[in-house]
Amino acid sequence: MKILTFFSLFSTFLSANSINVEENAGQFFSSGHTNNWAVLVCTSRFWFNYRHVANTLSVYRSVKRLGIPDSHIVLMLADDMACNHRNPKPATVFSHKNMELNVYGDDVEVDYRGYEVTVENFLRVLTGRLPPSTPRSKRLLSDDRSNILIYLTGHGGNGFLKFQDSEEISNVELADAFEQMWQKRRYNELLFIIDTCQGASMYERFYSPNLMALASSQVGEDSLSHQPDLAIGVHLMDRYTFYLLEFLEDIHPASKANMKDLFKVCPKSQCVSTPGHRTDLFLRDPGSALITDFFGSVRKVEITMETINLTDLIKEAEQNPMNEKPQKVTYSYVDQLPVSEIIHQKPKQKDWHPPDGFILGLWTLILLVFFKTYGIKHLKHIF
Amino acid sequence: MGLLSDPNRRRALISLLTRLNAPICVVCYMAGVAWFMGLAFEPFTLRTYMSENAMGSTMVEERFPAGERALATGREFSAHKKKVGGMPVDWLVKTMQARGLEVFTQRFSRTLPFPDENKERYLVKGTNVYGILRAPRAPRTEALVLSAPCTPGDNNNQAVGLLLGLAQYFRNQVYWAKDIIFLVNEHDLIGMQAWLEGYHHTNTTGMDWSPLQGRGGSIQAALSLELSSDVITSLDLVLEGLNGQLPNLDLANLFYAFCQKIGVLCTIQGKLQRNDWDSVSGYSHSVQTMMLMVMKQASGRPWGDHGLFLRYHIEAATIKGINSFRQYKSDTTTIGRLLEGMYRKLNNLLERLHQSYFFYLMPSLSHFVSIGYYMPAFGLLAVILLLRALDLWVQLATPPPRTEDGVADTDTLIKSAPSQMSSPGVLSVLTPLVISHLTGVEVAVEHFPVSETEAVVLTAIAIYTAGLALPHNTHRLLSGEGTEQGWKVLKLVAVLYLAVLLGCTALINFSLGFILALTLVPVAAFVTPHVPKILSAFILVILSPACTLLFSVFFFQELQEMPVSFIDGWMLFLSVISQGILDHSLYGSLVYPLIALLVYPCWLLFWNILFWK
C-alpha cells in the first residue's frame, strides 16, 4: 500500500515536473535576450576624482562576478588613479574606507584608457561606427537579442555630462545615439544607470523603446560623495554607487530579484539626493525584469532527466510560386524626428520669471530719451 | 536736440556742475572714507572658503611623530651656529645628506649703498644651504619650498630643527608628486633674493651670487617658517609681500582650515579673532586688524621671507610661532602635523593656485573683502579729482566776464582770448612741471659718497624741503606775469596727472593708492592762489607725502599697541626712509621711487599753484 501511494505520488510529481519542463522550455526566451553586454564609463580624470574611478571599477567587479566576461564588457576609464604619484598605496584603488576592498588588480581589462575616453569614442562604441582596425575588445558587438547595461559616472549638470574636463555630451546626443542603436537593432533591452549631479536630466530625452533608466539625483540636486578616507586623502565612492554595490553584493546568478528592488536602492535618507528612474519606454513590466537580465550573464540551463519530444518531421520549405508575392514582414520604425510630438509638446513647467529688469530698464531709458529728444509732437512725422 | 548737444540743457548741466561742485566733492570724500571704514564691518565681508577643487577639504591624516627630535636638532643647530659664529654650513650639509636629500649650497655677497642701521650690516656675505627631496615616482617638473631663515643669536633655531625633522619624515613617504626643497637662507631677505635670482636665472638687483648646482621644477608654493620657542600659543600668518603684493587667498584659506582642524590658535597681524562684531569694541578690533594690513601693504616692503617669492608668481606666506602668556600651549609635533597637512594638500595641486582672489583685505582670518568691494572707496575719491577737472575745463572754456573799461571789442577779445590762453598756458605749465620733476629726480637718484644712513636720509629731506622754495624761483623764468588762466591750466593738468597717478598706484597697491588719495585729493581739490596763504601753506605741508609718512609711522605704532614718543617716532621715521631706499636698491621695491619721482613732484605743482602770482 505504502509503495503504491509512494509510487503514485512519485508519478504525479514526475508528470507535474514534466509539464513544468515543457513550460520551462517555452519560457526559455521569455525575457527575449540571449547575451549580455556592459559599457562602463568613467568620465573624469585627476586625483580628486578618485571616487568616479572607484565607482566604475566596483560596478565592473559586480558585473564580472555575475557572469559577464571581459570580452562583453567595454570599460572606459582614465585609469590615472592606481599609478598616480599621489597614491599612498600604489597599484590599488579602494572602494571602502580603511582600505577594505581593492577593486583594481591585474584582472581589470580597461578598453579605453587615458585620453581615449572621449565623447566621440563613446558614441562610436554605442553605434558601432568604428574604424575597421579597431580590435574586438574595443567594440560593442551586440545584436538584437542583447541586453546592454550602460553605466556612466562623473561630473554632470542639467542636461550634460562632462568628459575629462574638456568636452560634454548632452542628453539629446545620448537619446539620439540610443535611437541609432534601436534602428540598427543593436539591443534588445537597455538599462541606463548614471551617477552624477542632476543625473535625471540625462534620461529626460530618451524616446526609443525598451529603455530603462536610473539616476542618482534629480535635476537641481547634487550627488554626494561618500567614504572619506584620511590615509589616501580623497573620497573613495559616491553614495548612490556605494549602496548600489552593497545591493549587488547580495545578488547571485540564480537570484530572482527584479528591477523594482533596484529602484528602492539608496532612498533619500541614505543618499541625501533623490534617485530617479524612468520605465515608460520599457515594454515589459519592470517587476518581471530580473536584475540578472542586465547585470549578469545568466545562461539559461535547466538540467532535466526527462526526454522532450523534438522529433517533428522537418518539413522542407515549400517553393513559393513566382506569381505569389512573398510575405513581407514590415518592421515599424520610430519616427526619426517626431515633429508632431515636438510641435504638440507641452512646454516644460518652468518657473515664471519677470522680464529681466535690465532689459526693461534699458528699453525704458531708450524710449524716454527718444521722446525727450524728439518730443511727443514729432511722433506724427515718424509714424 | 540731444541731451548734451542742446545748448540750453548743456548750460543747465554745466551750471549745476559748477554750482554744486564743492558740495559734491565733500560728499564724495565722506562717502569714500565711510565706505572704507565700512569694509571692516562683518556683515559686509564674506567668509573665507576653499576655491581650489584639487585641494578640497582638510581630509588628510597627519602622522608626524617627531617633534621632540626636531627640537633636539634645533639645539644642535644653535650650538654649531654659536661655534661658527654665523651659518654652520658644513653641519647643515651633513645633516641634510643624512636625511636623504640632495644638498647644494650657494654663496652670495652684496655691498649695501649705505650701512643698514636696523640690522647692522653693510658688506654682506653669506651662504644659502638647500636640500631637495625628490618625488619618488613623479617627473621633476614641479616643486614646493619650505624655508627657515638662519638669524644670528637665539632666534629661529626651532624653525630649522622642525624643518630638518619634517625633511626626515617626508623622505619616508611615497605620495609626493612634487619635489620639496628645504631651504635655510642666511641674512634673511638678501639671501632669499640671491637664491630666487639664482633659481630663476634673473639678475634684477645687481647682487653677486654663485649659480645653483641643483634645481627642482617650477615652484608652485612656498612657506617660510619662523619659530623661536619650544612651545607656542598661537600661529601668526603673514601675507604682505614686496610692493604690496599678496599671495592667493587660497593659501590663507588652507592655513585657516588646518588651524581649525588641528585646534591651534591662529591669528593674522598678531590679533586674535573676535565674535562680537556688533559691538563697538568688536568692530574697532576688526578695523584695527584691517588698518594694520593696509599699513603693511602700503609700505611696499616684504614682511617675511616669503615676500620675495610673489614676484615670480609663486604663492607664498610666512608662518610665525608666537609664545605669549596663554595657558594652552601647542608643541612642535602639532606644528609639524599642521605643516604636514598643508603640504599634503599642496601636493594635490595640479596647477598653480589661481581660483581664489589675488587682491583682498582681511579684517580677520576668517573674513575677507575682495577688490570688487574695496575699489569703490578709492573710486569715490578719484571722482573728486575728475569733477574738479571738469569744473576747471568749464571755467577755462567760458571767457571771463569783462569788468574793466578801455577794452576795444568783446568780439576781438573773445577771438584773441583762446590764442592768449594757449601760449602762456603751455609755458607756465611746463616750467613748474619740469622743475618739480627735476627736484624729484634729485631726491631719488642720490649717489651716496657719504656712507652714513643719517646723512643720506637727511639729505633727502633737505632736498624735499628745498623744493618748497620753488614757487619763488619759477616765476623768474616766466616771461610775463602769470595770468588767471595760467594757474587754472596748470591746476587742470596737475589734477588729471594726480588722478592718473593715483589710479595706477591703487590698481597695483590699493593701500598705498588709498592713503595717498586720502591726503592728496583734498589738497588738489581746494588749492587755488586765492585761498588764505599762510593757513593753506600749513595745511599743504601737513598733507604732503613726507608728513603723511610721519603720521603713518605714529599711527602704525599705535595700532600695534606700542605707542612711541615724538623723538622715537622721528627716529623711526628716518629709519623708514632709509629702509625705503635700501629696499629699492636691494629688492627692487617701487615705493620710494614712486613717491620721490612722481608723487612729490605732483604735490610740488600744487604748492606752485598756491603761490601763483
Side-chain angles (χ1 to χ4, degrees), chain A residues 46-49 82-91 155 227-235 372-374, chain B residues 1-2 9 53-54 58-61 63 137-139 142 174-178 261 344-345 347-350:
Chain A
F46 304 135
W47 175 246
F48 53 89
N49 290 322
C83 296
N84 197 310
H85 313 308
R86 297 167 182 79
N87 197 344
K89 301 269 182 275
H155 289 291
Q227 302 289 300
D229 186 310
L230 292 171
I232 300 186
V234 285
H235 284 284
K372 240 359 196 129
T373 336
Y374 293 102
Chain B
M1 294 244 271
R9 255 167 253 185
N53 202 5
T58 55
M59 187 172 47
V60 119
E61 203 183 346
R63 274 190 258 138
R137 293 173 283 147
E142 292 173 348
V174 295
Y175 47 68
W176 296 112
K178 304 184 206 289
K261 180 186 180 198
R344 272 202 78 174
K345 278 293 150 185
N347 183 39
N348 281 354
L349 280 178
L350 292 152

Side-chain angles (χ1 to χ4, degrees), chain B residues 117-137:
Chain B
E117 273 178 4
N118 284 11
K119 301 219 178 91
E120 281 151 28
R121 54 189 183 192
Y122 180 47
L123 294 155
V124 173
K125 266 199 187 54
T127 320
N128 293 329
V129 179
Y130 65 103
I132 308 184
L133 189 160
R134 298 289 182 190
R137 293 173 283 147

